[in-house]
């Protein structure tokens, strides 16, 4: 095995997990076609540590006993699991192995936190929605005061700061519903943000490789729905990338020092807004040809470059 994919099955119900496993098979096959031997290890089986060097023990084995590539599914709704997974990621970063799911400047900060992404993108003149992060516990309600001050909107989206696959992305229409939603967040540990609902014609994923946009995947919600995620019933098709989005995307990839970056934009007649970015774990399987092969070639070239660097 030269690559280990550390997954976190506890995120899902068993039936959902089966579907995800089937969907991941295409990606696993691609790794094999590109000459990689890949092993999937569930995060709860791993014990991170130090014993003369960083260690990732699985029983009597150490996954860091030779130099490998790692992909880590870092997002979870479970705060205790998130702490465990960050110990795994930090052990890999401390070792001679490569954490392939990093691949950007300052991944601990900018890897998956949407608020941190908005700070970074907004500072660079990229259009970003006003966003309010919900404080914790009995202080959560303080978010509502800032929403009425800073988010001039007919409706709102409440979503986790660090999740994926459309998990917990909720559209609410009134301040009364928003207030009840914040009440429901009060006892939990899932950090969330509130944004205006941005009426959009789809979520465009732009793939940037070696500084240049190489493909665009437009995901549209199903009729009557608001989530564009293909895993939530949205549909995907190739789209040529408008020049404004191309320029912003290439600038972000450059400033993030990322050789391979997928950047999502919500589209509207009034212009796009930035939504989020992701590195090598972002889906591309829904692209038609020839874009799909172009993106997978770029992905595996990036993985090869990163494994070769520092060897
Ligand atoms: N502020 C918003 N206004 C309108 N729609 C939104 C907004 N934020 C998110 N959405 C919709 O919800 C979808 C999922 O939201 P988002 O991409 O932020 O979350 P995610 O769970 O990280 O998804 P992904 O799997 O793409 O990483 C988006 O693709 C978009 O269709
Ligand atoms: Mg998304």
């Amino acid at each position: 095995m030269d690559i280990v994919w550390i997954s976190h099955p506890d995120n899902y119900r068993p039936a959902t997990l089966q579907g995800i496993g089937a969907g991941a098979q295409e990606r696993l096959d691609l790794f094999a076609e590109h000459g990689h031997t890949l092993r999937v290890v569930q995060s709860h089986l791993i014990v991170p540590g130090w014993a003369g060097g960083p260690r990732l023990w699985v029983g009597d084995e150490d996954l860091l006993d030779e130099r490998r590539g790692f992909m880590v599914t870092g997002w979870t709704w479970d705060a205790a699991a998130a702490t465990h997974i960050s110990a795994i990621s930090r052990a890999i970063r401390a070792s001679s192995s490569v954490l392939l799911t990093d691949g950007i400047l300052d991944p601990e900060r900018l890897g998956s936190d949407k608020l941190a992404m908005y700070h970074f993108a907004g500072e660079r003149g990229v259009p970003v929605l006003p966003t309010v992060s919900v404080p914790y516990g009995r202080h959560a309600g303080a978010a509502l005061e800032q929403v009425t001050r800073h988010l001039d909107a007919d409706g709102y989206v409440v979503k986790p700061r660090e999740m994926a696959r459309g998990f917990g992305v909720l559209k609410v229409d009134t301040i009364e519903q928003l207030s009840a939603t914040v009440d429901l967040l009060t006892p939990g540990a899932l950090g969330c943000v509130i944004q205006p609902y941005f009426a959009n014609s789809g979520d465009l994923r732009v793939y940037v490789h070696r500084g240049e946009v190489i493909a665009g995947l437009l995901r549209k919600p199903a009729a009557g729905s608001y989530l564009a995620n293909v895993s939530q019933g949205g549909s995907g098709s190739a789209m040529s990338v408008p020049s404004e989005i191309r320029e912003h995307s290439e600038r972000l990839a450059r400033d993030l020092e990322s050789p391979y970056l997928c950047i999502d934009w919500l589209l509207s007649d009034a212009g796009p807004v930035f939504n989020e970015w992701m590195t090598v774990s972002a889906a591309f399987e829904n692209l038609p040809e020839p874009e799909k092969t172009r993106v997978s070639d770029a992905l595996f070239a990036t993985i090869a470059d990163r494994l070769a660097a520092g060897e």
Side-chain angles (χ1 to χ4, degrees), residues 2 38-39 41 73 87 93-94 156 159 209 241 269-270:
D2 71 330
L38 181 116
R39 175 168 159 201
V41 181
T73 299
R93 290 184 188 122
Y156 307 91
K159 60 187 185 182
H209 181 228
V241 178
D269 291 343

Side-chain angles (χ1 to χ4, degrees), residues 7-88:
S7 72
H8 188 65
D10 299 7
N11 277 340
Y12 312 104
R13 293 185 320 180
T16 310
L17 197 58
Q18 270 185 351
I20 291 171
Q25 193 56 49
E26 181 173 358
R27 187 78 68 98
L28 300 183
D29 293 345
L30 276 172
F31 275 96
E33 275 170 38
H34 286 81
H36 296 292
T37 49
L38 181 116
R39 175 168 159 201
V40 179
V41 181
Q42 300 180 346
S43 62
H44 59 255
L45 299 176
I46 299 174
V47 179
W50 165 274
R55 302 281 181 251
L56 285 182
W57 290 298
V58 180
D60 61 1
E61 199 187 347
D62 172 19
L63 297 174
L64 296 176
D65 64 354
E66 55 181 74
R67 192 171 181 279
R68 301 193 163 94
F70 284 85
M71 319 246 306
V72 174
T73 299
W75 47 273
T76 170
W77 44 263
D78 181 333
T83 296
H84 173 64
I85 295 169
S86 93
I88 293 174

Side-chain angles (χ1 to χ4, degrees), residues 156-159 166-173 197-198 200 202-203 219-229 232 234 266:
Y156 307 91
V157 166
V158 184
K159 60 187 185 182
F167 181 93
V169 179
L170 177 66
K171 179 173 183 288
V172 298
D173 297 326
Y197 173 73
F198 183 74
N200 65 88
D203 183 335
R219 294 161 303 158
K220 283 187 170 222
S225 301
Y226 63 93
L227 293 176
N229 308 69
Q232 300 284 346
L266 298 176

Side-chain angles (χ1 to χ4, degrees), residues 10-283:
D10 299 7
N11 277 340
Y12 312 104
R13 293 185 320 180
T16 310
L17 197 58
Q18 270 185 351
I20 291 171
Q25 193 56 49
E26 181 173 358
R27 187 78 68 98
L28 300 183
D29 293 345
L30 276 172
F31 275 96
E33 275 170 38
H34 286 81
H36 296 292
T37 49
L38 181 116
R39 175 168 159 201
V40 179
V41 181
Q42 300 180 346
S43 62
H44 59 255
L45 299 176
I46 299 174
V47 179
W50 165 274
R55 302 281 181 251
L56 285 182
W57 290 298
V58 180
D60 61 1
E61 199 187 347
D62 172 19
L63 297 174
L64 296 176
D65 64 354
E66 55 181 74
R67 192 171 181 279
R68 301 193 163 94
F70 284 85
M71 319 246 306
V72 174
T73 299
W75 47 273
T76 170
W77 44 263
D78 181 333
T83 296
H84 173 64
I85 295 169
S86 93
I88 293 174
S89 298
R90 287 176 183 170
I92 298 166
R93 290 184 188 122
S95 75
S96 63
S97 281
V98 185
L99 186 47
L100 296 165
T101 31
D102 278 352
I104 55 170
L105 178 81
D106 198 355
E108 289 246 346
R109 178 169 67 98
L110 296 169
S112 61
D113 181 341
K114 289 185 165 103
L115 182 65
M117 293 179 195
Y118 300 147
H119 291 156
F120 188 93
E123 260 168 29
R124 283 161 177 77
V126 170
V128 165
L129 292 172
T131 300
V132 172
S133 181
V134 181
Y136 69 98
R138 67 195 167 100
H139 311 289
L144 294 171
E145 185 192 334
Q146 304 308 334
V147 166
T148 47
R149 264 200 202 126
H150 301 287
L151 273 57
D152 179 21
D154 291 335
Y156 307 91
V157 166
V158 184
K159 60 187 185 182
R161 256 174 57 220
E162 307 193 57
M163 281 295 288
R165 300 179 64 88
F167 181 93
V169 179
L170 177 66
K171 179 173 183 288
V172 298
D173 297 326
T174 65
I175 284 282
E176 188 183 25
Q177 291 168 357
L178 186 63
S179 171
T181 304
V182 168
D183 289 346
L184 290 172
L185 294 176
T186 296
L190 185 65
C192 283
V193 294
I194 304 169
Q195 298 183 317
Y197 173 73
F198 183 74
N200 65 88
S201 54
D203 183 335
L204 174 63
R205 174 162 296 168
V206 173
Y207 300 82
V208 189
H209 181 228
R210 294 181 181 147
E212 276 178 37
V213 168
I214 57 164
L217 170 65
L218 179 67
R219 294 161 303 158
K220 283 187 170 222
S225 301
Y226 63 93
L227 293 176
N229 308 69
V230 174
S231 57
Q232 300 284 346
S235 60
S237 58
M239 177 178 162
S240 85
V241 178
S243 61
E244 182 192 359
I245 295 182
R246 181 180 294 267
E247 280 159 28
H248 284 316
S249 300
E250 292 178 352
R251 162 106 198 261
L252 286 174
R254 188 177 66 238
D255 287 0
L256 287 164
E257 298 172 13
S258 179
Y260 176 93
L261 193 67
C262 305
I263 312 179
D264 292 350
W265 302 87
L266 298 176
L267 305 183
S268 83
D269 291 343
V273 293
F274 165 75
N275 192 39
E276 61 176 331
W277 60 62
M278 237 175 299
T279 62
V280 300
S281 56

